[in-house]
Amino acid sequence: MTILIKGNGWIANIIWIILFAVGSAVVWIRTVDGAGVTQTFELKLVAFIVLLSAFIIPFLFQMVWMIVNLKKGREN
């Protein structure tokens, strides 16, 4: 999970975006997966959804953390 520390949070988020873009490209470009199964559109879509779910979980944690920090910042 990414720890947002002032300016370093943006760098971490850019790294997450790059990782997601590269992972998505690999999923859509490959014709055969690691098990030797030919990738159809449906299988590529399933692989993309799995990849998306792996990136949504840290994103949700970051959003909750951001909301908590914003509320604490307004109190001070």
Side-chain angles (χ1 to χ4, degrees):
M1 187 171 80
T2 306
I3 299 173
L4 296 177
I5 302 172
K6 302 209 181 204
N8 293 337
W10 290 107
I11 295 169
N13 286 334
I14 290 171
I15 292 171
W16 277 106
I17 291 169
I18 291 170
L19 286 173
F20 182 73
V22 169
S24 297
V26 168
V27 166
W28 285 109
I29 292 174
R30 70 181 180 180
T31 56
V32 178
D33 70 358
V37 177
T38 302
Q39 295 293 291
T40 62
F41 176 75
E42 291 82 11
L43 291 176
K44 287 181 179 184
L45 189 60
V46 169
F48 178 73
I49 291 171
V50 170
L51 179 68
L52 186 64
S53 67
F55 280 88
I56 284 181
I57 292 169
F59 175 76
L60 292 175
F61 280 118
Q62 284 186 350
M63 291 299 106
V64 169
W65 187 251
M66 181 187 72
I67 291 169
V68 168
N69 284 335
L70 287 175
K71 287 187 178 184
K72 285 187 177 183
R74 288 184 183 168
E75 290 175 1
N76 294 335

